[in-house]
Amino acid sequence: MPFGSPANWGATTEERRRAQPADTLLDGPVARFDRAVTVRAPAALAYRWLCQISVAPYSYDLLDNRGRRSPGTLTPGADELAPGDTLIVFELTEVDRGHSLTGRTFAKSEKLFGPVAATYSVEPIDERSCRMLCRIVVTSAGFGGRLKEFLLGWGDLVMMRKQLLTLKKYAERDARLGQRAP
């Protein structure tokens, strides 16, 4: 891909090789984008923060949240997600409580982005730290698919990096303050 590749930000080789539920949601040729960050907070707390993306995008609020600030505190019940719930532009297809959220673009967002699938997950390293990961899968057939892959890949890299770093910041802050996930 010209100008480098937006395929990876922060994910290890092992994380990139590991199968994710989103890998099975689209047919035909696909491109995968992996994003990951280490969070110095217990996995249960980081998962609660990951579920906050059901409330707000936690990226660049001016661009993707109509200028409203994403909440700086956990929203009660935001982690009680189930298949069929909405997560940003995705309809959840699978929820592994405490570990991962997987979804595919719903009809309205597919008109803009085409078919896209994603798995967000939290994987413990030890009792006080974890990895927060996201895999985005997009169709990439033909010239239009490759163009979408290029544009969505770079745009997602900028937005997802900010999102994961923001969630990391809040989870680490809460861990320092001694807050725990229920």
Side-chain angles (χ1 to χ4, degrees), residues 8 55 62 119 130:
N8 182 39
V55 176
L62 188 60
T119 296
C130 61

Side-chain angles (χ1 to χ4, degrees), residues 130-171:
C130 61
R131 295 280 288 161
M132 189 178 288
L133 303 103
C134 183
R135 169 158 307 147
I136 302 288
V137 180
V138 301
T139 56
S140 64
F143 176 76
R146 286 190 305 277
L147 179 61
K148 179 183 76 169
E149 175 186 338
F150 177 80
L151 296 173
L152 189 61
W154 283 106
D156 170 74
L157 176 63
V158 171
M159 302 303 278
M160 181 74 61
R161 180 179 181 278
K162 171 69 170 150
Q163 181 184 62
L164 292 177
L165 290 173
T166 300
L167 296 171
K168 166 189 168 83
K169 175 182 79 173
Y170 286 136

Side-chain angles (χ1 to χ4, degrees), residues 14-29:
E14 179 189 325
E15 290 166 344
R16 295 187 72 218
R17 287 183 181 149
R18 189 177 312 137
Q20 296 289 345
D23 296 340
T24 64
L25 295 180
L26 303 180
D27 295 323

Side-chain angles (χ1 to χ4, degrees), residues 27-77:
D27 295 323
V30 296
R32 297 180 352 181
F33 303 106
D34 292 292
R35 286 67 171 101
V37 64
T38 299
V39 181
R40 285 170 180 61
L45 180 58
Y47 178 78
R48 292 259 342 261
W49 273 104
L50 184 64
C51 290
Q52 282 291 119
I53 59 177
S54 67
V55 176
Y58 286 88
S59 186
Y60 294 99
D61 287 335
L62 188 60
L63 295 175
D64 62 5
N65 203 22
R66 298 183 187 125
R68 294 185 309 260
R69 290 187 60 101
S70 296
T73 57
L74 289 169
T75 303

